[in-house]
Each structure stands twice: as C-alpha cells, then as structure tokens.
Amino acid sequence: MGVKVGFIGLGAIGRPIAVHVARAFDTMVWNRTIEKARAFAQAEGASVAANPTELVEWADVVITCLPTSADVREVVESAGGAWRKGQLLVDSTSGDPAASRAVAAWLAGSGAGFVDAPVSGGTSGAEAGTLTVMLGGEEQWVAQAEKIVKPYAGKVVHVGPVGTGHAVKAFNNSLLGINIQAAGECLAALVKLGVPATKALEVINASSGRSNVTENLIPERVVSRAWLRTFRLALLDKDIGIALKVLKDTGVPSDAIGMTKRVFGEGRKALGEEADHVELIKQIEQAAGVEIR
Ligand code: NDP
C-alpha cells in the first residue's frame, strides 16, 4: 500500500497542487465549501472527507493549504484526538513561524510531526508542478515531507527548523511587494515623461533593475490591462506583516519592509479582499493620474 495523503484547502493554489498530489498518491480531500471538494474528487479521482476528523483518521500524511496559520490551527485542532503517532502534517500555507512552532508542539503531544512547506511560483507554477518548496522541520520528518511535495515541486530546499520555511517565504514575498510598489512608481513617472511602458521595460529587463515583477507580472497584467486574479493582495499583505513581525522579533531594522506593509495595508483597505496583489499598481496609477502602458 502506498502513502495515503489527505489534502485540506482547495483554493487558488491549493487546487492545482492537489491535482499533482492526487495523481501521485491515494488522496482524500476536504474543503470548507464542500462542493469544491466534491467537484475536485469527481474530476481527479480522489475521495471526499465529510470533515477534517474523517480525513485525519484516514490519512498517513495531511497537507494543509489555507490562508493563514490561524486557519491551520483551527482545522488541525478541530480533528482533536484523531491525530496519532507517526502521522505528518505538511503545511503549505504561507504561515507564521511562531504559530507553526505552536502547532508543531501541539501535534508532538500525539506523536505526530510537522513540517512547514510553503511554496513559491504562483498558480502557473502549481499547475506545471514546478513550485519552489521551502521546508522547515526536523530531519526525520523533512525526509518524509520531501517525498510528498515532490510531485508539485521543481525545487525543494530544507532551510532549517520548524517555522523557518514560513520565515523564508514571508521575506521572499516582502521582496515581491517592494518590487511591485517600486516598479509601479518608476513606470508611472516614466509614462508621464512620454516613455511607453514597453520601451521602459525593454531597458529595465536588460538591466540591473529587472525582477519577476518587471519581466512577467507588469507586462502580463498591467501593460496588457488584463489584471489577472491569481494571488490575493490580502494574502500578500498578510505575508509582509509576518515578515515585519519576524524583523521585530529578531531585532533587525524594518524601514523598507515596514513602509511596504503600510502601503499594502492601505491598498487592501481600498481594493478589498478579492483584489489581486498586482492591483496595488492601480492605486499608484490613480494617484499619479496615468495608466502604465
Ligand atoms: P484562497 O483564498 O484562494 O483559498 C483559501 C482556501 O482555504 C479555500 O479552499 C478556503 O475554503 C479555505 N479556507 C479559508 N479559511 C478557512 C478556514 N477558516 N477553515 C477552513 N478552510 C478555510 O487562497 P490561496 O489558495 O491563494 O492561498 C492559500 C495559501 O497559499 C495562502 O497562505 C497563500 O498566501 C499561499 N500562496 C498562494 C499563492 C497564489 O498564487 N495564490 C502563491 C503562493 C502561496 P473555501 O473554498 O470555503 O473558501
């Protein structure tokens, strides 16, 4: 018998990850809106749990992909006594390091293990099965987690103890946020000076200021005016908030990331919970009175 994997959270990135998991392992899914789990099971050949307890009772390994660590904690604790010795929780949520250490300690009470395993690469990387996965945990559990994440990973790196995968992810996303904000401001000014955005990007993307934001996100979403929705701005705001907390906890200056947190917090309030992260640039365009094209 192969490993039985339970998957919780079929959202924008959870669903395409779960597709790879269901192709590689005997899989059971649970989603808060249960219709999504039923549709997934029918399309991908998995079974559906009525609740998290049923899923935890059945699975050898559980993968969670939820918005926040608070959601993970709620779901994990709701399965209460179903957790047992030797079981492993692989948390692919972009979570909070301190909260993850608490969940790991809670699971250890039942002899179950915890590895934080957030992902980078977006929904397109999830669909392609080429995500970068950063693992935080003890060696014995990480060795097991590596086999579970392999079907959807292009790169897997064990970065340190429990919580450090989440810390790396939060800082990666802070750099993403800073790049969105800075590139939006630079391009808005250049367009106002009469430089078409495509020309400015042609130069920047052959020069030292380039980033994933200038190479991919702005051409595909802003210049095209497509404004795709794949990763909620609210989730990026959450990630930058986690990074800011880690900076404070470790006694490191937080000027750049603190400023970006403020701007994304304001963007979240203005644009709402469903806006995409790149839509922050709409705010910059509005303030500047220009469209980046
Ligand atoms: P979504 O908002 O699209 O989906 C969230 C999922 O979690 C849904 O299945 C939702 O269920 C479920 N959920 C939300 N709250 C609860 C709760 N309290 N209890 C149980 N289930 C709950 O998020 P994403 O899939 O985009 O993101 C998931 C995680 O992955 C986040 O931490 C995010 O930061 C991270 N991430 C996302 C990326 C992306 O490109 N989207 C890229 C990299 C990381 P329901 O269907 O009922 O709403």
Side-chain angles (χ1 to χ4, degrees):
M1 281 290 283
V3 184
K4 293 195 284 185
V5 179
F7 198 100
I8 295 179
L10 300 167
I13 200 147
R15 192 187 188 286
I17 291 175
V19 168
H20 293 285
V21 172
R23 285 176 193 163
F25 306 105
D26 195 3
T27 301
M28 182 181 272
V29 294
W30 180 77
N31 193 73
R32 182 179 60 180
T33 306
I34 204 72
E35 292 74 26
K36 285 191 200 167
R38 291 203 190 105
F40 177 90
Q42 203 169 20
E44 303 298 333
S47 55
V48 181
N51 49 54
T53 304
E54 187 185 327
L55 181 140
V56 172
E57 276 168 355
W58 176 85
D60 303 310
V61 177
V62 176
I63 302 176
T64 38
C65 190
L66 300 173
T68 68
S69 288
D71 301 318
V72 173
R73 190 168 192 164
E74 186 187 311
V75 167
V76 166
E77 292 187 2
S78 78
W83 292 99
R84 58 190 182 275
K85 192 168 171 5
Q87 237 176 351
L88 172 63
L89 173 61
V90 175
D91 182 21
S92 63
T93 304
S94 298
D96 175 89
S100 295
R101 288 191 291 271
V103 171
W106 188 87
L107 285 169
S110 312
F114 176 95
V115 171
D116 41 313
V119 301
S120 179
T123 52
S124 56
E127 278 156 21
T130 56
L131 292 170
T132 298
V133 186
M134 48 222 99
L135 302 178
E138 290 168 21
E139 197 59 62
Q140 69 171 118
W141 296 113
V142 166
Q144 215 181 319
E146 276 168 352
K147 297 190 190 99
I148 303 299
V149 305
K150 210 168 165 216
Y152 57 86
K155 189 176 197 52
V156 182
V157 185
H158 180 196
V159 296
V162 169
T164 55
H166 283 153
V168 172
K169 175 66 189 172
F171 286 125
N172 176 75
N173 279 21
S174 298
L175 294 173
L176 166 65
I178 287 173
N179 274 300
I180 290 172
Q181 186 190 346
E185 291 174 359
C186 297
L187 288 167
L190 287 169
V191 171
K192 286 186 110 170
L193 288 176
V195 182
T198 47
K199 293 274 181 206
L201 288 166
E202 194 181 336
V203 174
I204 291 167
N205 289 336
S207 307
S208 49
R210 70 186 180 277
S211 67
N212 181 52
V213 173
T214 60
E215 287 179 328
N216 297 306
L217 294 178
I218 291 181
E220 289 166 10
R221 300 176 186 217
V222 181
V223 177
S224 68
R225 314 310 285 171
W227 299 114
L228 302 176
R229 289 189 160 180
T230 62
F231 176 41
R232 294 189 293 121
L233 187 150
L235 293 173
L236 182 53
D237 177 53
K238 172 256 315 179
D239 294 336
I240 303 169
I242 291 168
L244 193 57
K245 191 163 149 248
V246 175
L247 289 171
K248 296 215 160 116
D249 289 350
T250 50
V252 172
S254 57
D255 300 311
I257 289 175
M259 177 272 301
T260 304
K261 175 71 187 81
R262 178 179 60 72
V263 169
F264 272 83
E266 287 167 8
R268 181 176 180 172
K269 265 195 208 126
L271 296 161
E273 292 295 297
E274 297 307 318
D276 186 74
H277 62 312
V278 180
E279 289 182 60
L280 184 92
I281 292 178
K282 281 186 179 171
Q283 294 284 98
I284 296 168
E285 287 185 335
Q286 209 179 12
V290 71
E291 283 190 358
I292 296 170
R293 16 161 127 233

PDB file of all heavy atoms in Angstrom, residues 97 100-101 104 114-118 134-139 142 157-168:
ATOM      1  N   PRO A  97       5.817  31.856  11.516  1.00  0.00           N
ATOM      2  CA  PRO A  97       6.759  30.934  12.162  1.00  0.00           C
ATOM      3  C   PRO A  97       6.402  30.593  13.614  1.00  0.00           C
ATOM      4  O   PRO A  97       6.456  29.415  13.999  1.00  0.00           O
ATOM      5  CB  PRO A  97       8.095  31.682  12.100  1.00  0.00           C
ATOM      6  CG  PRO A  97       7.956  32.624  10.955  1.00  0.00           C
ATOM      7  CD  PRO A  97       6.513  33.002  10.888  1.00  0.00           C
ATOM      8  N   SER A 100       3.449  28.337  13.800  1.00  0.00           N
ATOM      9  CA  SER A 100       3.798  26.986  13.344  1.00  0.00           C
ATOM     10  C   SER A 100       4.530  26.211  14.428  1.00  0.00           C
ATOM     11  O   SER A 100       4.321  25.005  14.577  1.00  0.00           O
ATOM     12  CB  SER A 100       4.658  27.062  12.083  1.00  0.00           C
ATOM     13  OG  SER A 100       3.896  27.620  11.057  1.00  0.00           O
ATOM     14  N   ARG A 101       5.386  26.894  15.170  1.00  0.00           N
ATOM     15  CA  ARG A 101       6.069  26.206  16.279  1.00  0.00           C
ATOM     16  C   ARG A 101       5.030  25.729  17.299  1.00  0.00           C
ATOM     17  O   ARG A 101       5.157  24.634  17.864  1.00  0.00           O
ATOM     18  CB  ARG A 101       7.117  27.132  16.923  1.00  0.00           C
ATOM     19  CG  ARG A 101       8.348  27.332  16.027  1.00  0.00           C
ATOM     20  CD  ARG A 101       9.490  28.010  16.771  1.00  0.00           C
ATOM     21  NE  ARG A 101       9.223  29.401  17.096  1.00  0.00           N
ATOM     22  CZ  ARG A 101       9.520  30.440  16.286  1.00  0.00           C
ATOM     23  NH1 ARG A 101      10.119  30.234  15.120  1.00  0.00           N
ATOM     24  NH2 ARG A 101       9.245  31.671  16.662  1.00  0.00           N
ATOM     25  N   ALA A 104       3.268  22.690  15.851  1.00  0.00           N
ATOM     26  CA  ALA A 104       4.188  21.542  15.902  1.00  0.00           C
ATOM     27  C   ALA A 104       4.241  20.961  17.311  1.00  0.00           C
ATOM     28  O   ALA A 104       4.220  19.734  17.494  1.00  0.00           O
ATOM     29  CB  ALA A 104       5.582  21.973  15.447  1.00  0.00           C
ATOM     30  N   PHE A 114       5.434  17.739  12.218  1.00  0.00           N
ATOM     31  CA  PHE A 114       5.016  18.942  11.485  1.00  0.00           C
ATOM     32  C   PHE A 114       6.184  19.456  10.656  1.00  0.00           C
ATOM     33  O   PHE A 114       7.305  19.575  11.156  1.00  0.00           O
ATOM     34  CB  PHE A 114       4.580  20.038  12.468  1.00  0.00           C
ATOM     35  CG  PHE A 114       4.217  21.348  11.807  1.00  0.00           C
ATOM     36  CD1 PHE A 114       2.901  21.650  11.486  1.00  0.00           C
ATOM     37  CD2 PHE A 114       5.201  22.292  11.505  1.00  0.00           C
ATOM     38  CE1 PHE A 114       2.561  22.858  10.862  1.00  0.00           C
ATOM     39  CE2 PHE A 114       4.869  23.504  10.882  1.00  0.00           C
ATOM     40  CZ  PHE A 114       3.549  23.784  10.576  1.00  0.00           C
ATOM     41  N   VAL A 115       5.909  19.751   9.389  1.00  0.00           N
ATOM     42  CA  VAL A 115       6.905  20.412   8.539  1.00  0.00           C
ATOM     43  C   VAL A 115       6.205  21.582   7.860  1.00  0.00           C
ATOM     44  O   VAL A 115       5.138  21.402   7.260  1.00  0.00           O
ATOM     45  CB  VAL A 115       7.472  19.442   7.481  1.00  0.00           C
ATOM     46  CG1 VAL A 115       8.345  20.187   6.467  1.00  0.00           C
ATOM     47  CG2 VAL A 115       8.282  18.329   8.143  1.00  0.00           C
ATOM     48  N   ASP A 116       6.772  22.788   7.994  1.00  0.00           N
ATOM     49  CA  ASP A 116       6.212  23.898   7.206  1.00  0.00           C
ATOM     50  C   ASP A 116       6.804  23.802   5.812  1.00  0.00           C
ATOM     51  O   ASP A 116       8.013  23.598   5.654  1.00  0.00           O
ATOM     52  CB  ASP A 116       6.393  25.278   7.847  1.00  0.00           C
ATOM     53  CG  ASP A 116       7.741  25.527   8.486  1.00  0.00           C
ATOM     54  OD1 ASP A 116       8.205  24.640   9.230  1.00  0.00           O
ATOM     55  OD2 ASP A 116       8.326  26.598   8.255  1.00  0.00           O
ATOM     56  N   ALA A 117       5.925  23.924   4.803  1.00  0.00           N
ATOM     57  CA  ALA A 117       6.333  23.675   3.412  1.00  0.00           C
ATOM     58  C   ALA A 117       5.685  24.672   2.464  1.00  0.00           C
ATOM     59  O   ALA A 117       5.027  24.292   1.487  1.00  0.00           O
ATOM     60  CB  ALA A 117       5.947  22.248   3.015  1.00  0.00           C
ATOM     61  N   PRO A 118       5.844  25.994   2.727  1.00  0.00           N
ATOM     62  CA  PRO A 118       5.225  26.968   1.822  1.00  0.00           C
ATOM     63  C   PRO A 118       5.834  26.894   0.429  1.00  0.00           C
ATOM     64  O   PRO A 118       6.929  26.330   0.258  1.00  0.00           O
ATOM     65  CB  PRO A 118       5.526  28.306   2.501  1.00  0.00           C
ATOM     66  CG  PRO A 118       6.715  28.070   3.342  1.00  0.00           C
ATOM     67  CD  PRO A 118       6.628  26.633   3.788  1.00  0.00           C
ATOM     68  N   MET A 134       9.921  25.356   0.272  1.00  0.00           N
ATOM     69  CA  MET A 134      10.911  25.562   1.335  1.00  0.00           C
ATOM     70  C   MET A 134      10.437  24.850   2.601  1.00  0.00           C
ATOM     71  O   MET A 134       9.328  25.092   3.066  1.00  0.00           O
ATOM     72  CB  MET A 134      11.180  27.058   1.543  1.00  0.00           C
ATOM     73  CG  MET A 134       9.944  27.928   1.657  1.00  0.00           C
ATOM     74  SD  MET A 134      10.071  29.506   0.752  1.00  0.00           S
ATOM     75  CE  MET A 134       9.181  29.139  -0.766  1.00  0.00           C
ATOM     76  N   LEU A 135      11.265  23.937   3.094  1.00  0.00           N
ATOM     77  CA  LEU A 135      10.843  23.083   4.200  1.00  0.00           C
ATOM     78  C   LEU A 135      11.504  23.511   5.512  1.00  0.00           C
ATOM     79  O   LEU A 135      12.715  23.729   5.576  1.00  0.00           O
ATOM     80  CB  LEU A 135      11.220  21.629   3.915  1.00  0.00           C
ATOM     81  CG  LEU A 135      10.645  21.016   2.631  1.00  0.00           C
ATOM     82  CD1 LEU A 135      11.145  19.581   2.455  1.00  0.00           C
ATOM     83  CD2 LEU A 135       9.123  21.037   2.648  1.00  0.00           C
ATOM     84  N   GLY A 136      10.671  23.592   6.563  1.00  0.00           N
ATOM     85  CA  GLY A 136      11.183  23.859   7.911  1.00  0.00           C
ATOM     86  C   GLY A 136      10.771  22.717   8.816  1.00  0.00           C
ATOM     87  O   GLY A 136       9.588  22.413   8.936  1.00  0.00           O
ATOM     88  N   GLY A 137      11.751  22.058   9.441  1.00  0.00           N
ATOM     89  CA  GLY A 137      11.378  20.958  10.339  1.00  0.00           C
ATOM     90  C   GLY A 137      12.574  20.097  10.699  1.00  0.00           C
ATOM     91  O   GLY A 137      13.699  20.350  10.259  1.00  0.00           O
ATOM     92  N   GLU A 138      12.282  19.081  11.513  1.00  0.00           N
ATOM     93  CA  GLU A 138      13.339  18.148  11.927  1.00  0.00           C
ATOM     94  C   GLU A 138      13.630  17.172  10.797  1.00  0.00           C
ATOM     95  O   GLU A 138      12.719  16.741  10.085  1.00  0.00           O
ATOM     96  CB  GLU A 138      12.880  17.360  13.163  1.00  0.00           C
ATOM     97  CG  GLU A 138      12.793  18.200  14.415  1.00  0.00           C
ATOM     98  CD  GLU A 138      12.057  17.460  15.530  1.00  0.00           C
ATOM     99  OE1 GLU A 138      11.970  16.206  15.478  1.00  0.00           O
ATOM    100  OE2 GLU A 138      11.552  18.145  16.430  1.00  0.00           O
ATOM    101  N   GLU A 139      14.892  16.762  10.724  1.00  0.00           N
ATOM    102  CA  GLU A 139      15.381  15.922   9.626  1.00  0.00           C
ATOM    103  C   GLU A 139      14.479  14.712   9.341  1.00  0.00           C
ATOM    104  O   GLU A 139      14.128  14.452   8.194  1.00  0.00           O
ATOM    105  CB  GLU A 139      16.813  15.468   9.946  1.00  0.00           C
ATOM    106  CG  GLU A 139      17.590  14.958   8.765  1.00  0.00           C
ATOM    107  CD  GLU A 139      17.739  15.964   7.627  1.00  0.00           C
ATOM    108  OE1 GLU A 139      18.346  17.031   7.823  1.00  0.00           O
ATOM    109  OE2 GLU A 139      17.219  15.655   6.546  1.00  0.00           O
ATOM    110  N   VAL A 142      11.318  15.870   7.715  1.00  0.00           N
ATOM    111  CA  VAL A 142      11.595  16.522   6.440  1.00  0.00           C
ATOM    112  C   VAL A 142      11.863  15.476   5.357  1.00  0.00           C
ATOM    113  O   VAL A 142      11.397  15.622   4.208  1.00  0.00           O
ATOM    114  CB  VAL A 142      12.781  17.510   6.583  1.00  0.00           C
ATOM    115  CG1 VAL A 142      13.321  17.940   5.224  1.00  0.00           C
ATOM    116  CG2 VAL A 142      12.344  18.746   7.377  1.00  0.00           C
ATOM    117  N   VAL A 157      13.982  22.854  -0.894  1.00  0.00           N
ATOM    118  CA  VAL A 157      15.134  23.219  -0.060  1.00  0.00           C
ATOM    119  C   VAL A 157      14.744  23.110   1.418  1.00  0.00           C
ATOM    120  O   VAL A 157      13.766  23.730   1.852  1.00  0.00           O
ATOM    121  CB  VAL A 157      15.613  24.675  -0.354  1.00  0.00           C
ATOM    122  CG1 VAL A 157      16.881  24.991   0.442  1.00  0.00           C
ATOM    123  CG2 VAL A 157      15.850  24.895  -1.841  1.00  0.00           C
ATOM    124  N   HIS A 158      15.513  22.317   2.166  1.00  0.00           N
ATOM    125  CA  HIS A 158      15.315  22.260   3.618  1.00  0.00           C
ATOM    126  C   HIS A 158      16.088  23.427   4.220  1.00  0.00           C
ATOM    127  O   HIS A 158      17.311  23.419   4.219  1.00  0.00           O
ATOM    128  CB  HIS A 158      15.823  20.917   4.168  1.00  0.00           C
ATOM    129  CG  HIS A 158      15.640  20.798   5.654  1.00  0.00           C
ATOM    130  ND1 HIS A 158      16.293  19.856   6.404  1.00  0.00           N
ATOM    131  CD2 HIS A 158      14.869  21.513   6.533  1.00  0.00           C
ATOM    132  CE1 HIS A 158      15.929  19.992   7.677  1.00  0.00           C
ATOM    133  NE2 HIS A 158      15.079  20.984   7.773  1.00  0.00           N
ATOM    134  N   VAL A 159      15.358  24.434   4.714  1.00  0.00           N
ATOM    135  CA  VAL A 159      16.029  25.677   5.123  1.00  0.00           C
ATOM    136  C   VAL A 159      16.402  25.731   6.602  1.00  0.00           C
ATOM    137  O   VAL A 159      17.260  26.517   6.990  1.00  0.00           O
ATOM    138  CB  VAL A 159      15.186  26.926   4.746  1.00  0.00           C
ATOM    139  CG1 VAL A 159      15.059  27.043   3.238  1.00  0.00           C
ATOM    140  CG2 VAL A 159      13.809  26.908   5.397  1.00  0.00           C
ATOM    141  N   GLY A 160      15.764  24.918   7.450  1.00  0.00           N
ATOM    142  CA  GLY A 160      16.086  24.979   8.879  1.00  0.00           C
ATOM    143  C   GLY A 160      14.995  24.339   9.727  1.00  0.00           C
ATOM    144  O   GLY A 160      14.199  23.547   9.220  1.00  0.00           O
ATOM    145  N   PRO A 161      14.936  24.671  11.021  1.00  0.00           N
ATOM    146  CA  PRO A 161      13.936  24.067  11.905  1.00  0.00           C
ATOM    147  C   PRO A 161      12.516  24.563  11.636  1.00  0.00           C
ATOM    148  O   PRO A 161      12.320  25.468  10.814  1.00  0.00           O
ATOM    149  CB  PRO A 161      14.400  24.490  13.302  1.00  0.00           C
ATOM    150  CG  PRO A 161      15.261  25.676  13.102  1.00  0.00           C
ATOM    151  CD  PRO A 161      15.871  25.554  11.743  1.00  0.00           C
ATOM    152  N   VAL A 162      11.546  24.005  12.348  1.00  0.00           N
ATOM    153  CA  VAL A 162      10.125  24.383  12.192  1.00  0.00           C
ATOM    154  C   VAL A 162       9.967  25.911  12.214  1.00  0.00           C
ATOM    155  O   VAL A 162      10.524  26.581  13.083  1.00  0.00           O
ATOM    156  CB  VAL A 162       9.269  23.762  13.320  1.00  0.00           C
ATOM    157  CG1 VAL A 162       7.858  24.370  13.327  1.00  0.00           C
ATOM    158  CG2 VAL A 162       9.169  22.249  13.141  1.00  0.00           C
ATOM    159  N   GLY A 163       9.226  26.429  11.259  1.00  0.00           N
ATOM    160  CA  GLY A 163       8.946  27.872  11.203  1.00  0.00           C
ATOM    161  C   GLY A 163       9.844  28.617  10.228  1.00  0.00           C
ATOM    162  O   GLY A 163       9.471  29.687   9.738  1.00  0.00           O
ATOM    163  N   THR A 164      11.008  28.056   9.911  1.00  0.00           N
ATOM    164  CA  THR A 164      11.938  28.807   9.042  1.00  0.00           C
ATOM    165  C   THR A 164      11.501  28.785   7.581  1.00  0.00           C
ATOM    166  O   THR A 164      11.815  29.711   6.832  1.00  0.00           O
ATOM    167  CB  THR A 164      13.383  28.293   9.169  1.00  0.00           C
ATOM    168  OG1 THR A 164      13.398  26.879   8.897  1.00  0.00           O
ATOM    169  CG2 THR A 164      13.955  28.562  10.553  1.00  0.00           C
ATOM    170  N   GLY A 165      10.779  27.747   7.174  1.00  0.00           N
ATOM    171  CA  GLY A 165      10.209  27.753   5.814  1.00  0.00           C
ATOM    172  C   GLY A 165       9.261  28.937   5.685  1.00  0.00           C
ATOM    173  O   GLY A 165       9.292  29.682   4.700  1.00  0.00           O
ATOM    174  N   HIS A 166       8.442  29.127   6.706  1.00  0.00           N
ATOM    175  CA  HIS A 166       7.499  30.243   6.695  1.00  0.00           C
ATOM    176  C   HIS A 166       8.218  31.585   6.731  1.00  0.00           C
ATOM    177  O   HIS A 166       7.779  32.553   6.098  1.00  0.00           O
ATOM    178  CB  HIS A 166       6.523  30.111   7.859  1.00  0.00           C
ATOM    179  CG  HIS A 166       5.463  29.078   7.602  1.00  0.00           C
ATOM    180  ND1 HIS A 166       4.821  28.390   8.611  1.00  0.00           N
ATOM    181  CD2 HIS A 166       4.943  28.616   6.447  1.00  0.00           C
ATOM    182  CE1 HIS A 166       3.945  27.553   8.065  1.00  0.00           C
ATOM    183  NE2 HIS A 166       4.004  27.671   6.762  1.00  0.00           N
ATOM    184  N   ALA A 167       9.323  31.660   7.470  1.00  0.00           N
ATOM    185  CA  ALA A 167      10.072  32.924   7.530  1.00  0.00           C
ATOM    186  C   ALA A 167      10.672  33.255   6.161  1.00  0.00           C
ATOM    187  O   ALA A 167      10.580  34.399   5.686  1.00  0.00           O
ATOM    188  CB  ALA A 167      11.169  32.829   8.593  1.00  0.00           C
ATOM    189  N   VAL A 168      11.263  32.250   5.498  1.00  0.00           N
ATOM    190  CA  VAL A 168      11.852  32.487   4.170  1.00  0.00           C
ATOM    191  C   VAL A 168      10.757  32.956   3.205  1.00  0.00           C
ATOM    192  O   VAL A 168      10.937  33.906   2.442  1.00  0.00           O
ATOM    193  CB  VAL A 168      12.558  31.222   3.630  1.00  0.00           C
ATOM    194  CG1 VAL A 168      12.993  31.420   2.179  1.00  0.00           C
ATOM    195  CG2 VAL A 168      13.764  30.866   4.492  1.00  0.00           C
TER     196      VAL A 168
END
